[in-house]
Amino acid sequence: MHNDHKSKLVRRLARVEGQVRGLQRMIDEDRYCIDVITQISAVRAALLKVEQAVLKDHVAHCVEHAILSGNEEDQRQKVAELLEVLNRAQR
């Protein structure tokens, strides 16, 4: 992963961490359930964006490298990993 891309993801994850701490406070303070659920949805959406960015980076670098290498075993492995993670994401 390139350093500029990595630093963006780290910043995004720091924001998610802050959102999760906010959720903990909301629950500690017995905040309105719908407000808590709204925040949970926001955290899930933020994590999904991180997941998509990491997946995009994986395809652009790891999978592309396997394709360009000509190593059929590596190509099969990368495609299998990709399919497995996509299958898990749909659950």
Side-chain angles (χ1 to χ4, degrees):
M1 188 174 300
H2 295 332
N3 284 340
D4 60 327
H5 186 67
K6 185 176 179 178
S7 63
K8 287 178 185 176
L9 289 176
V10 168
R11 283 194 306 272
R12 190 173 285 197
L13 285 169
R15 272 181 288 192
V16 170
E17 182 181 18
Q19 287 177 298
V20 170
R21 280 195 305 272
L23 274 167
Q24 290 171 328
R25 261 191 319 278
M26 290 175 81
I27 290 173
D28 284 342
E29 296 168 358
D30 293 322
R31 296 279 296 272
Y32 186 55
C33 296
I34 296 302
D35 293 340
V36 174
I37 291 169
T38 300
Q39 272 307 111
I40 290 170
S41 294
V43 170
R44 290 176 65 197
L47 280 174
L48 181 59
K49 286 183 180 183
V50 171
E51 178 184 21
Q52 290 169 343
V54 173
L55 183 58
K56 182 178 178 181
D57 187 75
H58 177 68
V59 171
H61 296 101
C62 301
V63 174
E64 181 179 343
H65 181 273
I67 291 168
L68 294 175
S69 75
N71 181 329
E72 292 181 14
E73 180 59 31
D74 194 28
Q75 292 169 357
R76 285 188 193 98
Q77 180 185 359
K78 295 296 186 242
V79 170
E81 290 171 348
L82 190 56
L83 290 173
E84 182 179 328
V85 79
L86 290 173
N87 186 41
R88 272 187 276 150
Q90 291 179 356
R91 293 181 195 164

